[in-house]
Amino acid sequence: ISTQRGRHFSLRMLPKAIAGVTVRLIPSRSPDFHMPKRSGSARRFERASSYEMTLIHMMRDVMLGRAPPGYMAISAQHLLRFSIFQVPAHVTKNKQVSERVISGFLGDQLAVRVIRLRNHQHHAIRLVPSDWYTPIVSAVALSQDQIPAGASALVYEVVRRV
């Protein structure tokens, strides 16, 4: 089932000789909020170069503080309304490190999230890019490879927009 607002649901049904049942799907988000439409200019940007070059250009733009061409910057107050801008559960295995998505950009098939990590420990911690990959993460860049005690670092992730 696909909705007008771009949500997709899969249903597993087993035919039975019983009276039919009406199922009503009610969104858990406020009705006035919807996923922004996909951008034609973002689509052109994403397809203008090879996939690898597109990822490199996206990371460069975001690390320089600009939105990639055609991408929509999502305000901080709306970030948590999008599941792709929520910090993945695998990120903090240690309670001495806090994380927060501080900005996000939506494109056509891809999105970029910027995560701030804060080290609350009394010693430096090492960041390893491969720790950040999940099935939806296409690219990762780190502002530094370790976080000194009491300091912060940024993680930039390109994710597939699902």
Side-chain angles (χ1 to χ4, degrees):
I1 297 175
S2 296
T3 69
Q4 290 177 331
R5 291 190 174 177
R7 300 236 186 241
H8 305 284
F9 300 91
S10 295
L11 301 175
R12 177 178 273 175
M13 295 187 262
L14 180 63
K16 292 184 179 182
I18 59 172
V21 176
T22 300
V23 176
R24 187 171 177 203
L25 303 174
I26 301 171
S28 60
R29 302 176 199 275
S30 64
D32 60 346
F33 185 83
H34 63 280
M35 181 68 101
K37 292 183 179 177
R38 296 178 188 267
S39 162
S41 56
R43 182 180 309 112
R44 285 187 294 281
F45 166 73
E46 291 174 2
R47 295 178 182 179
S49 300
S50 69
Y51 186 68
E52 294 80 11
M53 289 307 297
T54 299
L55 296 177
I56 290 168
H57 292 141
M58 289 174 68
M59 287 293 198
R60 179 202 60 209
D61 287 347
V62 173
M63 292 175 87
L64 292 173
R66 355 182 252 244
Y71 275 58
M72 179 190 318
I74 303 300
S75 65
Q77 70 228 32
H78 290 110
L79 285 172
L80 293 180
R81 293 184 180 205
F82 297 94
S83 61
I84 59 172
F85 293 130
Q86 294 173 13
V87 177
H90 74 280
V91 169
T92 53
K93 300 169 188 153
N94 183 330
K95 297 291 183 197
Q96 296 297 316
V97 178
S98 60
E99 75 289 323
R100 184 170 60 96
V101 178
I102 59 171
S103 63
F105 303 91
L106 282 175
D108 180 52
Q109 297 295 316
L110 301 170
V112 181
R113 60 185 174 206
V114 182
I115 302 170
R116 179 183 309 278
L117 293 178
R118 180 134 182 95
N119 180 6
H120 300 286
Q121 298 182 72
H122 298 292
H123 62 284
I125 58 170
R126 186 159 182 67
L127 298 176
V128 180
S130 61
D131 289 347
W132 295 84
Y133 283 94
T134 66
I136 69 162
V137 176
S138 300
V140 173
L142 305 171
S143 63
Q144 55 205 56
D145 60 358
Q146 70 175 7
I147 309 175
S152 296
L154 297 176
V155 178
Y156 303 87
E157 293 182 317
V158 175
V159 296
R160 285 193 310 272
R161 189 174 166 179
V162 290

